[in-house]
């Protein structure tokens, strides 16, 4: 902690600009007053043990299965309960047990995975970034601009009209104001970050930009129009990036004069908070352009993972299968609150239906409609989310989605229960009690099987990259190491048997991935592919 804070907390006795003079004065004062007892020999001041126990219990709940935070808090309590030497001995026992335990091994796996994923292509030097543009000042665009400004980069944020520019400026100021009110930012830093962002109308303001990040609506035609215009305005060596969550980056590169300068920079919402950045590598991109994306991620303090081009890249592609497993649980007999609780008890920060309400059901609805023409008509499709959207239930922003939202509380809704029962009846599925363990197992199996396909197709370079994406972008518990790390721990023959069971129950779209079958048959693990 900073020196002034350490003084306020009582961790130090004095801050000295002249240490020698201060030491002489302190020595004289101690000689006159006598030495105080060592801290270890002093009595512990009185405190409210019940309040302490409540705080520890609350911390354990928030840790969601992670052992270290609760045990660290418990060790603080040793100071009050035990003599120093005994407390230190107990603390040492806990530390050694944690270091040798499975959660620590999982976290070390992620530590090394982060460093491996961020390595640039051999010999590729990133381009210098002095001026950056962002097109679109909505939730994502303003969040990206804030992330850039926080890293000390000057940003030009472009909107289509004066009204839209004013709305973007208000959005930026509101986020920074909340940070000041929450004590996370001082007024001077607030002003400095805001000053780094210039909000303007019209793309010509980006003529001198070294990098432009497009963050307009998730519509291919709209994004192509932006890239076509940027191609005519920007320098030929300027990097052009899209923040798309699903769309084919190569189709955007195809409308640019120099397609080799185009890549994807998929930020996660809120962009100035979430640490993951998927860097999407289209076939024609230059190595130095890819290296520029990786260097930008490092400067922003993001965890970068390179992904190939496919619908949804790494994270959203696997998320789609995760979602289907949860939807099938609804049709089989579960309800949204049970599915969310089952996964939250397993360490997820929020269950999928709660997350959907937070993000907005209309976003995923637009994506489902985009994919409808390509959907296999034989594949089981659960329409409940579509029905909710048709009723204007888009989640928290409309006060109703999978849940009712009243006074900051999430409440189960009988109308949703009725819609879920209607979906089961329409498919002729008798509703049954679905065990929480079955929900969790099916979700993990769905993720692992699709992740194996992602690896087969070269969309992800290594299994550990997929673990990073799911942990840092989608709330997979870090102490479990990610789905492929966990699959190795369970054993791939067992995971293959689970995938075969889903295939038998859910149909052709759930056929076990060839890579999963090959690894299980050969006795190898996903970890063997990380190098």
């Amino acid at each position: 902690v900073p020196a002034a804070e350490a003084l306020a907390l009582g961790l130090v006795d004095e801050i000295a600009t002249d240490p020698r003079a201060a030491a002489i004065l302190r020595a004289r004062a101690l000689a006159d007053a006598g030495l105080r007892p060592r801290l270890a020999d002093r009595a512990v001041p009185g405190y409210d043990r019940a309040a302490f126990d409540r705080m520890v219990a609350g911390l354990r709940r928030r840790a969601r299965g992670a052992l270290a935070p609760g045990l660290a808090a418990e060790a603080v309590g040793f100071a009050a309960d035990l003599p120093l030497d005994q407390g230190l001995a107990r603390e040492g026992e806990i530390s050694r047990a944690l270091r040798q335990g499975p959660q620590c091994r999982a976290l070390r796996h992620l530590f090394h995975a982060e460093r491996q994923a961020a390595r640039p292509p051999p010999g590729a030097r990133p381009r210098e970034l002095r001026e950056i543009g962002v097109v679109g000042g909505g939730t994502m665009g303003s969040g990206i601009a804030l992330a850039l400004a926080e890293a000390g980069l000057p940003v030009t944020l472009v909107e289509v009209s004066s009204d839209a520019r004013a709305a973007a400026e208000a959005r930026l100021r509101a986020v920074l104001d909340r940070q000041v009110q929450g004590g996370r930012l001082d007024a001077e830093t607030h002003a400095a970050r805001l000053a780094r962002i210039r909000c303007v109308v019209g793309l010509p303001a980006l003529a001198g930009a070294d990098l432009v990040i497009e963050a307009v609506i998730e519509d291919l035609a709209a994004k192509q129009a932006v890239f076509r215009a940027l191609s005519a305005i920007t320098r030929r060596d300027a990097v052009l990036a899209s923040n798309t969550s699903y769309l084919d980056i190569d189709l955007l590169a195809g409308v640019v004069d120099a397609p080799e300068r185009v890549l994807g920079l998929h930020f996660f919402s809120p962009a100035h908070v979430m640490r993951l950045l998927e860097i999407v590598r289209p076939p024609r991109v230059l190595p130095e352009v890819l290296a520029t994306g990786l260097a930008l991620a490092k400067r922003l303090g993001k965890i970068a993972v390179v992904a190939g081009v496919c619908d949804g890249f790494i994270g959203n592609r696997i998320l789609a299968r995760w979602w289907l497993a949860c939807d099938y649980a609804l049709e089989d007999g579960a309800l949204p609150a049970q599915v969310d609780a089952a996964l939250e008890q397993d360490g997820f920060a929020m269950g999928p239906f709660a997350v959907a309400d937070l993000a907005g059901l209309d976003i995923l609805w637009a994506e489902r409609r985009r994919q409808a023409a390509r959907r296999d008509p034989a594949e089981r499709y659960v329409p409940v989310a579509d029905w909710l959207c048709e009723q204007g239930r888009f989640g928290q922003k409309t006060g109703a989605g999978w849940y009712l939202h009243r006074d900051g509380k999430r409440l189960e809704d009988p109308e949703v229960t009725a819609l879920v029962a209607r979906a089961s009846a329409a498919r002729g599925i008798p509703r049954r009690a679905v065990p929480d363990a079955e929900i969790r197992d099916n979700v993990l199996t769905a993720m692992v099987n699709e992740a194996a396909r992602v690896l087969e197709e070269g969309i992800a370079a290594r299994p550990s990259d997929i673990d990073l994406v799911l942990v840092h972008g989608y709330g997979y518990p870090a102490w479990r190491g990610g789905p492929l790390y966990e699959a190795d721990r369970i054993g791939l023959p067992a995971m293959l048997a689970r995938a075969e069971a889903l295939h038998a129950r859910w149909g052709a779209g759930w056929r076990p991935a060839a890579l999963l079958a090959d690894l299980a048959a050969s006795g190898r693990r996903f970890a063997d592919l990380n190098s």
Side-chain angles (χ1 to χ4, degrees), residues 112-311:
H112 292 295
E114 289 177 18
R115 281 141 188 83
Q116 193 169 22
R119 291 174 185 163
R125 293 178 61 84
R127 296 178 179 176
E128 187 176 358
L129 298 178
R130 298 174 300 274
E131 184 179 336
I132 299 180
V134 176
V135 181
T139 301
M140 286 306 303
S142 59
I144 293 168
L146 284 168
L148 294 165
E150 185 176 337
L153 291 162
V155 187
T156 300
L157 179 62
V158 173
E159 264 295 358
V160 295
S161 68
S162 297
D163 288 346
R165 179 186 62 190
E169 289 173 338
R171 197 172 289 114
L172 292 165
R173 190 176 295 278
V175 173
L176 293 172
D177 287 350
R178 284 196 299 272
Q179 291 178 348
V180 171
Q181 291 160 10
R184 289 169 290 163
L185 210 63
D186 58 36
E188 184 178 349
T189 307
H190 174 294
R193 288 185 185 172
L194 206 56
R196 290 190 195 107
I197 305 172
R198 181 171 66 107
C199 295
V200 302
V201 175
L203 292 175
L206 302 178
D210 303 299
L211 165 68
V212 179
I213 303 171
E214 166 274 313
V216 303
I217 60 171
E218 193 74 356
D219 176 80
L220 179 61
K223 289 179 182 291
Q224 284 180 320
V226 171
F227 272 80
R228 198 174 284 111
L230 289 172
S231 178
I233 291 167
T234 57
R235 302 191 317 269
R236 193 178 173 86
D237 65 341
V239 176
L240 302 181
S242 174
N243 181 54
T244 179
S245 304
Y246 292 93
L247 300 177
D248 187 336
I249 300 293
D250 208 35
L251 294 177
L252 300 178
V255 303
V256 173
D257 59 349
E260 66 274 8
R261 61 180 173 131
V262 176
L263 79 165
L265 292 177
H266 177 209
F267 289 80
F268 286 70
S269 185
H272 60 292
V273 175
M274 294 290 284
R275 294 190 66 204
L276 180 67
L277 178 61
E278 270 186 319
I279 300 180
V280 186
R281 182 193 63 239
R284 292 175 281 187
V285 71
L286 289 173
E288 57 263 34
V289 172
L290 188 61
T292 302
L294 288 163
L296 176 66
K298 184 176 181 180
R299 183 158 182 182
L300 298 181
K302 303 290 186 186
I303 294 167
V305 175
V306 176
V309 175
C310 71
D311 202 87

Side-chain angles (χ1 to χ4, degrees), residues 39-65:
L39 187 62
D41 298 328
R42 297 183 214 167
V44 175
Y47 71 104
D48 185 340
R49 183 66 194 218
F52 177 84
D53 290 342
R54 285 194 300 273
M55 292 185 74
V56 173
L59 190 148
R60 289 188 191 278
R61 285 193 302 273
R62 293 192 299 276
R64 297 185 179 87

